Amino acid sequence: MTDTPETQAPSQPIIHIEHITKVYEMGNEDVHALRDVSLDIGNNEYVAIMGPSGSGKSTLMNMLGCLDTPTSGTYLFKGEDVKSMSDDELAMIRNKEIGFVFQTFNLLPRATALQNVELPLVYAGVKSSLRKQQAEAALESVGLRDRMDHRPNELSGGQRQRVAIARALVTKPSIILADEPTGNLDSKTGQDIMDLFERLWKLGNTVILVTHEEDVARHARRIIRVRDGLVESDDVTSK
Amino acid sequence: MLRPSEIAESFRIATSALRVNLMRSILTMGGVVVGIVLVVVMGWTIKGLDAVWERTIGIIGRDMLYMDKWNWAGGGNWRDAEARKDITERQAWLLAERMESAEYVMPLARSWNGSVTLGNKQIMCSVQGTTQSYGNTPAGTTEQGRWFTGSEALQGSHVVVLGHGVNRTLFPDNDGVGKTIKIGGIPYTVIGVVEKRGFIFMDFIDNQVFISLNAFKSTFGFFGRSFSIAIKAGNEKLLDIVRDEARGYLREIRNVPPGKDDDFSINEMQAFDAQVTTIRIVIWMVGIGLTVLAFIVGSIGIMNIMFVSVTERTKEIGIRKAIGARRSSVLLQFLIESSMICLLGALIALPIAQILVGSARWVAIGPLKQEWVSAVSPFIQVDLLFIAIAVSVVVGLLAGFLPALRASRLDPVECLRFE
């Protein structure tokens, strides 16, 4: 990613979305998942995107995570136009700039915790020895140094999610994008995970949570509510 | 560009996927295993054939020419050859006198159907009248006893050197030297036995006996016989020079007008290559047909199992794409997996092929005689190993391409939703 100084103010947002829409074809019918969404997310923000199912929040999350591209509108990621990117360029953005944390953890079942965390570095082309070192550091930062050689099925739900967070962190991405990160966890473990996000945010990371739970969203410093493909409200919370 | 780390990861994934689905993978390989076995056995057979042939030719010598009324390889028009005048004794000797470039020039007279008897044992075989120097050529090298001397040749002494096959038939105990046999009803003393020379292609070489020209004349006479002239160039490189010289002189001796075709044939060992080529082509055609069939069946199976594998791992593909795997990485991952299935097939096929090859050789020792089988390698040749491995990998890449392409083009959002 290269900065283009003349258009970028010092407080340039990481994500700049302007009037984006997303239309899916379902048989003969067009489904407007996103009708008109505009928003900016800056560095070291802690944002929650909220909305009921069918609100378009998942589509918005896929868009933000560069898993999908908008039908129309503008999406600049650190000033780069995402809409015109090829599949491979999107893959590179996801690899270097975005750390995903999923509700169902999405770890590779046959790989150890360490191997799972190494994976983004594999696709980034990092040498094996350096990769191991960085992955170990990431696992250490989520408190799982002693579980590195365990496979996902030998770990508890909370531990799995922490492996997933370590995997998201390992490339030092611009944003951490978490989709219902506590959805499959009991409330105590969920709280631990939310504490971890809080800590990551305080360390300078940009965190975007996608959730339908008020309790989870309340951890964020800014809540964007989505309904029927539109942004319903965008508030900075007092905390 | 694919990065080394991605390639290494692809291998790691492929091996682990194979390990998990070992039984399924092995069952899928059937066609490939059969195909590889066929390729290897076929290659080995052709190589064996060539080796035996080379040995045959090598013993007799590629530097031998036979000037003859007849074309041995059967080429040309048989009626034309029949219409040719016989090569006379005088013409043969004239040529022998004039030739300068060749190592040996040896007139030969032959009775194809001479009667050779020992007691009440009688065989019909080729009786060849020739010169003393024939004993110096590989075709006349004796393994027992000796060739006849110049003075024996001059005097027309009734001494005979037996071909290997004749010796075996008449003297199963290999004790013929010094004994007396009858050729054309005339007693001859056996003075030597020629080393085994022939093989399936040229069996006739061992089934003849050699006497001097003068002895031949007194026993069979030269009337109505066309001479051959055996010419040993001495060196394969001289062959062209010697051939030209021999042709020129023989045309001159036989008064062939300029511009007219030779009224004789020049037979060379190469002429027999055609026989071997025919056998080789037959093996190839049968072999290639079966092999292609096996590989088609094999690759359909592999393609099928790879499609299954892609579907089973949709979620995994989604995860990998989400964290940055590019299309080429996913493509590579599945291509490597399908190639490894085929490679494993090759690893299973090679020992099977080796067992087949080893047993075929062992079985052949009886009918083909130990000394000929020894020319054939008991092991699959290294280049065949590499060919087998290369072929298996190519089949794997071809069979895996469509499934891998599908995997690489999957939408990560759809994949992540897949349960």
Side-chain angles (χ1 to χ4, degrees), chain B residues 166-196:
Chain B
V166 174
N167 177 56
R168 195 180 288 236
T169 311
L170 291 181
F171 303 103
D173 298 333
N174 213 6
D175 55 355
V177 175
K179 300 233 165 88
T180 302
I181 61 170
K182 282 183 177 172
I183 299 173
I186 313 287
Y188 275 77
T189 306
V190 177
I191 58 168
V193 177
V194 175
E195 283 177 6
K196 178 158 177 60

Side-chain angles (χ1 to χ4, degrees), chain A residues 24 62 65 67-68 87-89 91-92 94-96 98 100 102 104 106-111 115-116 119-128 131 167, chain B residues 3-6 8-9 12-13 16-17 20 313 315-316 318-330 333 408-413 416-417 419:
Chain A
Y24 293 108
N62 290 339
L67 285 164
D68 209 346
D87 274 13
D88 281 358
E89 286 170 321
M92 256 131 87
R94 293 196 294 267
N95 183 243
K96 292 197 166 58
I98 297 159
F100 286 99
F102 300 96
T104 52
N106 283 349
L107 299 173
L108 297 184
R110 288 201 291 274
Q115 286 169 331
N116 267 292
L119 207 54
L121 300 173
V122 166
Y123 292 117
V126 176
K127 257 197 328 178
S128 164
R131 204 160 75 202
R167 183 179 65 185
Chain B
R3 301 166 175 117
S5 59
E6 289 173 295
E9 171 72 5
R12 209 190 54 73
I13 302 164
S16 105
V20 171
R313 286 151 72 189
K315 184 93 177 188
E316 179 194 322
I319 297 170
R320 288 179 185 277
K321 287 196 158 192
I323 60 176
R326 290 169 301 161
R327 280 189 177 184
S328 47
S329 311
V330 177
Q333 171 188 337
S408 76
R409 290 189 171 169
L410 287 174
D411 176 7
V413 175
L416 286 170
R417 217 175 278 154
E419 287 305 328

